[in-house]
Amino acid sequence: MAAALGGGLHRQLHVAVMVLLWSTAQAQNTGERCQTPNNRPGQCISILSCEPYRDMLNQRPLPPNTVDFLRRAQCGFQGNRPFVCCPSSGTGQVTPSTTTTRRPPAQGSNQGGGSGASVSNVDNHPNWSYLRTDVCGADVNDRIFGGEEANLKEYPWLALLEYQTRNGRQFLCGGSLISNRYVLTAAHCVTGIGNTRLIGVRLGEHDIDTDPDCKTYADGNVCGDPVQDFNIEEVIAHPQYQSESRDKHHDIALLRLDRDAPITDYIVPICLPSGSVANKRYETESLIVAGWGKTENKSASNVKLWVRVPGMTNTACAPVYQRQITLGPNQMCAGGEQGKDSCRGDSGGPLMTVDSVVPRRKGGQWVIAGVVSIGPNICATAGRPGIYTRVGPYMTWILDSLKP
């Protein structure tokens, strides 16, 4: 179930369900300052503590403009429960706007449900135009890279997910920008990581400790652009993902940003698999995983890292984890070499390669093959590969979930 509040007429039932969930949840007041959709000062709190919004939810049926207003009032998440920016007392009446954003209707029944069947050609999907196929996956790096630390312009689609924790704000997961408005990540990163609350997404980052980031090369000092921080307008976890399951099947999710991400030398979406590429299994290919080594359990680096890992067949991988999980056809394995693993990247980050997915563009483009999902207890251990969610089988679900 998507951890989002509202999103259009067809999501009214979902909002009602979320109200029932809130009725059994303990209210938590974070006290953070924010602005309501009407640009009034407020606090980011549980909807249980916000009387004006509770009154809105009592309307039956929920008007579309109310659904949209409550969605835009979101200011973070704790597990599956959205928090809202509640207007401070004395700021006037809260009135939803009359405009609403409608989600395009679903275009197929393929939910990536574990069949492992071939993916039909998604290039003709009506929402395909929301993707930036004119620029996606472009290798904007203008220097030869080597070693484990990425250069400033490498992997410009990498995203950091920021959480409110007991120890302050921290980056605990990663993701990949796939369009101007959406980030692809793992469902386990958005359905609750301990006592944390997902509050934002950062793009254009290289070194978390500096802004802007600068590097010295043989021909001089180069500085990147300032980072871009975004609020999250909507969280969409795959409906078949079960957070309590150890198998982590369907561990994939989308985050809708609160505004369009600019396309720059340091922020570019990665391409999604299309055509025959969507059916590739990458079992004998060399792949790249990149990120900051941020996971829900530990952090490894403040600078962007990358590592090359070999793909592996599910037949070879399944026995390695047979005592812990049952490997599904929509999962894939890569790694298993001593000292190299996806713990060098982020949970929710991309497993990627260069492939030809945009026929009208010369050469190959970077395409996302998988999403970092599960790793061994001791990462980078020989014979213990990382487990990823395959992106190809979920292409119809991804496209069905997009809106302008």
Side-chain angles (χ1 to χ4, degrees), residues 281-283 285-289 308-314 317 321 327 331-337 340-343 351-352 369-370 374-376 381 383-388 390:
R281 300 190 66 81
Y282 299 103
E283 294 178 336
E285 298 190 25
S286 179
L287 303 158
I288 297 289
V289 62
R308 190 178 300 277
V309 292
M312 177 184 290
T313 66
N314 280 24
C317 183
Y321 289 100
L327 195 67
Q331 293 172 299
M332 63 187 297
C333 296
E337 294 184 347
K340 296 182 179 181
D341 205 346
S342 57
C343 58
L351 179 69
M352 52 197 169
I374 310 173
T381 301
R384 304 285 289 182
I387 300 176
Y388 303 79
R390 296 182 189 273

Side-chain angles (χ1 to χ4, degrees), residues 226-244:
V227 298
Q228 295 272 339
D229 288 318
F230 299 81
N231 293 323
I232 299 170
E233 187 175 279
E234 187 176 12
V235 174
I236 312 169
H238 193 276
Q240 292 176 267
Y241 174 74
Q242 298 179 357
S243 58
E244 68 276 8

